[in-house]
Amino acid sequence: MRPLLCFLVLAALLGPCLACPSPCSCSTKKNGRLLAECAYKDLPEVPKGLSSNVTILTLSANRIGWLGQSSFAEVPEVQSLWLGYNQIGVVEPGAFALLVHLKNLDLSHNKIADFPWQDLRNLSGLQILKMNNNRLAGLSRDAFHSLKDLRSLWLNDNELTTLAEGTFDNLPSLSQLQIFNNPFNCSCKVFWLKKWTERTSVSITKGGSTLCVAPARLKGRAVTDIPDHHCVAPSVQLTYLSNLDNTVMYDGLTLTLHCSVAGSPPPEIRWKIQTSSRRIEINGPNVARDGNVKQSQEHFLVFKNGTMAIPNFSKEDEGTYTCLAVNDVGTRDVSVNVALAGSENPAEDLLRDDPQAGHLGGRSCYKGDEMDPSGAGEKLVIVYHMPRESKSEAGGALSQVHLGPLLLALGIVLCW
C-alpha cells in the first residue's frame, strides 16, 4: 500500500512538469532536461499544451508555415529549438524575443525571406544559429551584434547578394561561418568581406564555393579573389581660392573651393556646410551644363568637376565647409573653416587665429590613411575683406604689400 501511495504522490508532483500534447512524446533526459519530441508529426503549427519546463523542443520536418508572437509562450525555458525542414514563410516580430535561455536555434530549410532580427537582441546566450536554405536576400548590419556567445552561424544557400560591412563584428566567440551558395554581387560593397576573411581566425566552410554571380568580369570567381586594384578607398584634396583681381576686395567677393578626389570606383563628391545659423548638405552638383541651378541652394553653386563657388560671400557664410568623397569601399572627408577678417592686414589675422599658419606654405600634403590623424584635416582660412571706403587710401602700394600674405592665407592645400 505504501509503495502505491508514494507512486501516486510522485505522479502528482511530476504530472504538471511532463504535460505533453498528444502528437508529441515527452521525457526527462539524464541531465534533468525535459525533451518534447514533436518531429515528423505532420503538424501545421506549434502544438499547444507543452510543459513550461521543456528545455528541448524538436519540431523538425512538419508543415509549420507561420510563427506568431505567442507560438512559444508556453516554453520560456527552452534552450534548444529545432524547426528545420518546415514551410515557415512568416515569422512575426516577437516570436523569439522572450526565449532568453535559447542556446541552439535551427530554422534551416524553410521559406523565410524576412526575419525580425530585433528578436535576437535578447538571446545573448545563443551559441548555434542555423538559417541556411531559406530565402534571405538581406541582413541588417547589426543583426547579430548582441550574440556574444555565438559559435556557429549558417547562412549558406540563401539569396544574399551583398553583406554590410561589420555584419560579423562583435561576435567574439564565432568559430564557424557558412555563407557559400549565395548569389553575391562582387561589387566593392563586399570587398570588406575579402579583407575580413584574410585576417579572421573563423573557419569559413567551403570558402571556395562563396562565388561571385556578378559583375560579369568576376562571375564564377571566389569572393576572396576580388582583385585589390578594383576597389580603392577614396582620397580627397581640398583647395580654396578667391577672386584675386587685386588684394583689395569689395562686396561681391566670390569664394571658390575645389575638391579633388581619387579612388576606385570613382568617388561621389558631397558637401556639408555648417554656419552659425544653418546646416546644409549638397549631394552632387546642382549646376547643370547650361548654367541653371537644379536645387534650391542657389547661394552655393556646386559643379560636376568638384568646385563649389559662394558668390557674395558674407559674414553669414562663415563656418565649416566639408568635402566628402564616397565610394563602395569607404568615405573620406576634409574640412576648412572659413571666416572674414576685419583688419587691414590679413597676415596678422591669420597668425593670430592660427599660430602655425606662417609655416603652412611648405606643409607636406598627405592622402588617404597616411594623413596625420592629429591634424583632423581642418585649418582656418581667413578671407580678407577691405571696406569700400578704404579703396582710395590703400593705393597701388597696398597691393604689393599684402599680396604675398594673402596668397599664403588663401592658397593652402588640405588633404585626407
Side-chain angles (χ1 to χ4, degrees), residues 18 20 73 78-79 87 102 174 245 255 305 338 346 380 386:
L18 297 177
C20 193
V78 70
Q79 297 179 18
Q87 300 174 24
L102 205 57
L174 190 66
D245 295 330
L255 181 70
N305 67 350
V338 183
L380 179 67
M386 175 73 75

Side-chain angles (χ1 to χ4, degrees), residues 46 50 63 68 70 106 134 145 154 186 202 213 231 234 275 343 369 408:
V46 178
L50 290 163
R63 293 187 297 108
S70 60
D106 181 8
N134 275 285
H145 275 200
W154 299 35
C186 292
V202 176
V213 172
C231 303
T275 69
S343 76
D369 293 332
L408 172 62

Side-chain angles (χ1 to χ4, degrees), residues 278 280-282 286 293-300:
R278 54 182 170 171
I280 300 167
E281 295 188 10
I282 304 175
N286 61 7
V293 180
K294 295 185 291 185
Q295 298 178 5
S296 61
Q297 301 297 341
E298 298 91 350
H299 188 57
F300 303 96

Side-chain angles (χ1 to χ4, degrees), residues 240 350-351 354-365 379-380 404-414:
Y240 42 97
L350 181 64
L351 292 171
D354 187 351
Q356 297 182 354
H359 304 289
L360 288 175
R363 184 179 178 86
S364 299
C365 176
K379 292 295 174 185
L380 179 67
L406 189 59
L407 287 175
L408 172 62
L410 297 177
I412 302 168
V413 177
L414 295 179

Side-chain angles (χ1 to χ4, degrees), residues 364-386:
S364 299
C365 176
Y366 299 92
K367 295 182 179 179
D369 293 332
E370 296 178 350
M371 181 67 180
D372 180 3
S374 62
E378 295 190 12
K379 292 295 174 185
L380 179 67
V381 56
I382 297 181
V383 180
Y384 179 55
H385 183 264
M386 175 73 75

Side-chain angles (χ1 to χ4, degrees), residues 233-236 329 331-332 366-373 415-416:
S235 62
V236 57
V329 187
T331 300
R332 294 290 186 274
Y366 299 92
K367 295 182 179 179
D369 293 332
E370 296 178 350
M371 181 67 180
D372 180 3
C415 302
W416 189 258

Side-chain angles (χ1 to χ4, degrees), residues 125-146:
L126 198 63
Q127 298 178 6
I128 298 175
L129 177 58
K130 295 185 177 182
M131 301 195 73
N132 53 292
N133 295 87
N134 275 285
R135 299 176 181 176
L136 297 173
L139 305 172
S140 63
R141 183 183 182 276
D142 59 351
F144 311 117
H145 275 200
S146 62

